[in-house]
Amino acid sequence: MDIITDNNSLKELCQKLNKDPFVCIDTEFMREGTYWPRLCLIQLADPQGNTFVVDPLATNIDLGPFCSLLTNESLQKVLHAARQDMEIFFHLMGSVPKPLFDTQIAAMVCGFGEAASYETLVRKLAGAQIDKSSRFSDWSKRPLEKRQLSYALSDVAHLPEIYKKLHTTLTGTGRSSWVQEEMDALCNSNLYAAEPKDAWKKIKSRGAGARTLAVLRELAMVREISARRHNIPRQRLLKDASLLEVASACPRNETQLSRIRGLSEGTARGKLGSEILNAITRGLNIPQEERPRPQNHKENLPVSAPVVDLLKVLLKTKCEQHGVAQKLVAKNSELIQIAAGHDTVPALKGWRYHIFGSDALKLRDGILSLSINNGEVSMSPCDSPVGWENNS
C-alpha cells in the first residue's frame, strides 16, 4: 500500500505500464467547493492485477509521466463510469485519453442491465465483494488512512479481470463495434470543452421569451467566466433562480440589482455586480433576429401518448431480445421525438438503428404491428401505407 509521492517512482511505474496492452485507472477527487474537480488520488492496475497508488497532491510531484501514459494510443485505458474521470483528465491535459474502454457501458451492452455498477460487476465477474464505506471520504486530507487506501485500491483491483471477461464476451457476440461507437463519443473533446457562451442552455428556462433568453445568455456567460476565474461552483457564485430573476427583471442600477433575491448589496455594488449590469445592457441591445429562440422542450412536442407507449413496449421487447440496457439504446425524450416524426435522434443511428431504430420507424409509420402471442409481445409486418419509403 505504499503511495507514490516522488517523481522518480512515478516515472519508473509509468514506463513499466506503458509496455502493457492495457492499464486500469480510477481516481478520487473533490469538487464540492471548487469549479474544477480537484484530483486527489490516482489508482492504477496492470493486466496481472498489481495495484498502485499515486498522490497527485504530493509536494513537487510532476504528473507528466502519467499524462504521457494517458496519451499513449497503443495502450488501452480501462475505466468504469469514465465520464467524470475524463473531465478531470481533460482539465489536466487539455485532451482526453485514447483508446478508452468503459466497463460500465460494455456491461450494459453485454446484458448486465440498467445499473451495471462496479459492485455488480465485481460480484458477478470477479466473484468478490468490495467495501464502499469510505466512498464519501475527504480525499484531500493527508495522511490518508489505511481504510481509505483499501477502498481506493479496490476500485481498480478487479478491473483487469472484469475487462478481460467483458472483452471476451463482446468479441464472441460481435458487439465490440457497438462499444467502440460509444467510446468514440465519450472521447469527443467537445463534451468537456464547454464554452461559456453556451452555459445558458443548461439553465431550466421554460416560458422565457427571446428577450429574457438574450439577457440570460450574457448573464450565464459572466457567471461561468467568473466561476472559472475564482475556481468556485457556479451555483455558489449565483444560483440559477437568481440568474433567471435578473434576466427577467433587467435591473438597471446597483440598487435595483441588490433587491434580487440571492444578490447581496455588497455583490451588487462590487465587480460582479458591475459585470452583471453590463451583461444586461449587452443582452437588451442584441437585435431581435439574433436573440436565442426559446428552447424546444422535447417533452412538450405534440405527440400522442399511446404512440409513445407503443414505442416503449417495442424498446423493452427489443432490448430484452438483445440483452442490452434500455437507457443505453433510447431515452424517453428520443421516443417522443420519434413519435413526433423526427428522424435524427441517436436511437436511429449506428448499432441502435439495427436493433431498435429500424423497427421503431416501421411501427411509427404503420408497417409494423405489435401483438400478444402466448403471453409474449410479437411483431409482424403490415401493409405499407401510401407514401412510405424504407429509410434503411
Side-chain angles (χ1 to χ4, degrees):
M1 256 191 217
D2 290 338
I3 306 177
I4 293 175
T5 58
D6 66 279
N7 292 326
N8 287 336
S9 298
L10 178 59
K11 184 177 179 180
E12 290 176 6
L13 172 62
C14 292
Q15 286 175 341
K16 174 184 176 296
L17 294 175
N18 265 312
K19 298 175 183 178
D20 289 325
F22 70 88
V23 60
C24 297
I25 306 171
D26 189 51
T27 66
E28 305 300 338
F29 57 90
M30 303 285 290
R31 71 178 311 163
E32 284 80 358
T34 60
Y35 179 92
W36 305 107
R38 187 185 186 194
L39 180 59
C40 297
L41 207 65
I42 301 168
Q43 305 96 273
L44 303 163
D46 64 17
Q48 292 73 44
N50 301 308
T51 56
F52 313 90
V53 180
V54 178
D55 185 0
L57 300 183
T59 304
N60 297 325
I61 192 76
D62 177 12
L63 295 179
F66 175 65
C67 292
S68 296
L69 187 81
L70 294 177
T71 55
N72 178 2
E73 295 199 6
S74 65
L75 177 68
Q76 180 77 273
K77 271 68 69 174
V78 179
L79 297 92
H80 182 84
R83 178 64 183 267
Q84 287 185 307
D85 298 291
M86 296 287 278
E87 181 184 354
I88 291 171
F89 299 148
F90 183 83
H91 179 55
L92 179 66
M93 308 185 301
S95 61
V96 294
K98 296 177 184 179
L100 177 72
F101 187 96
D102 189 324
T103 55
Q104 184 178 61
I105 292 176
M108 292 169 72
V109 169
C110 291
F112 284 86
E114 303 290 312
S117 67
Y118 181 66
E119 296 97 313
T120 297
L121 299 185
V122 169
R123 186 177 69 254
K124 292 186 176 181
L125 294 180
Q129 299 285 339
I130 56 176
D131 180 7
K132 303 296 286 185
S133 60
S134 297
R135 178 180 299 177
F136 299 108
S137 293
D138 185 343
W139 296 101
S140 65
K141 290 185 177 179
R142 297 294 184 270
L144 293 168
E145 298 178 7
K146 184 177 180 180
R147 63 176 180 83
Q148 290 178 291
L149 293 174
S150 295
Y151 162 81
L153 285 174
S154 70
D155 274 353
V156 292
H158 306 288
L159 268 181
E161 185 173 359
I162 291 171
Y163 166 68
K164 292 173 185 177
K165 290 186 175 179
L166 289 174
H167 185 270
T168 298
T169 299
L170 291 169
T171 302
T173 56
R175 296 184 178 185
S176 295
S177 61
W178 298 12
V179 174
Q180 189 56 53
E181 281 187 40
E182 303 309 299
M183 296 305 99
D184 291 343
L186 194 57
C187 289
N188 185 346
S189 294
N190 292 332
L191 287 175
Y192 316 102
E195 294 291 336
K197 64 181 177 62
D198 295 324
W200 70 279
K201 296 178 181 179
K202 297 181 180 180
I203 300 173
K204 295 180 180 179
S205 54
R206 292 190 179 185
R211 174 179 176 274
T212 298
L213 291 178
V215 177
L216 179 64
R217 182 171 62 185
E218 299 298 318
L219 290 170
M221 182 163 58
V222 164
R223 182 181 68 171
E224 198 74 7
I225 293 172
S226 183
R228 292 184 182 186
R229 182 171 62 240
H230 298 291
N231 195 24
I232 59 175
R234 60 177 70 87
Q235 294 289 340
R236 180 176 298 181
L237 189 67
L238 191 62
K239 293 186 180 300
D240 285 355
S242 298
L243 213 62
L244 279 166
E245 180 62 24
V246 173
S248 177
C250 290
R252 297 304 183 95
N253 54 55
E254 296 169 349
T255 300
Q256 292 177 357
L257 184 60
S258 66
R259 293 172 183 158
I260 300 293
R261 185 174 180 178
L263 266 162
S264 67
E265 185 172 347
T267 299
R269 298 188 183 282
K271 181 179 179 181
L272 181 59
S274 176
E275 292 176 345
I276 289 173
L277 290 172
N278 288 336
I280 294 171
T281 300
R282 289 196 306 272
L284 291 174
N285 288 335
I286 293 174
Q288 187 169 357
E289 63 274 11
E290 296 179 13
R291 291 173 178 173
R293 294 183 177 183
Q295 298 182 63
N296 181 19
H297 292 280
K298 303 175 182 65
E299 293 79 3
N300 293 333
L301 291 174
V303 299
S304 168
V307 173
V308 178
D309 290 338
L310 277 176
L311 288 170
K312 289 180 181 179
V313 172
L314 178 66
L315 175 64
K316 183 175 180 61
T317 302
K318 300 294 289 187
C319 287
E320 287 182 353
Q321 288 177 355
H322 291 277
V324 182
Q326 291 183 55
K327 69 179 182 181
L328 190 63
V329 177
K331 301 175 183 177
N332 188 65
S333 59
E334 293 179 53
L335 300 183
I336 294 173
Q337 290 181 81
I338 293 172
H342 297 183
D343 294 347
T344 58
V345 299
L348 301 179
K349 299 177 181 178
W351 65 271
R352 292 174 173 83
Y353 175 81
H354 295 291
I355 72 166
F356 168 70
S358 175
D359 284 336
L361 292 177
K362 292 175 183 177
L363 179 64
R364 182 197 68 185
D365 295 340
I367 64 168
L368 181 74
S369 67
L370 300 179
S371 60
I372 300 175
N373 185 14
N374 294 325
E376 299 288 340
V377 175
S378 63
M379 293 163 280
S380 56
C382 305
D383 292 334
S384 299
V386 176
W388 185 87
E389 293 181 358
N390 194 329
N391 290 325
S392 62

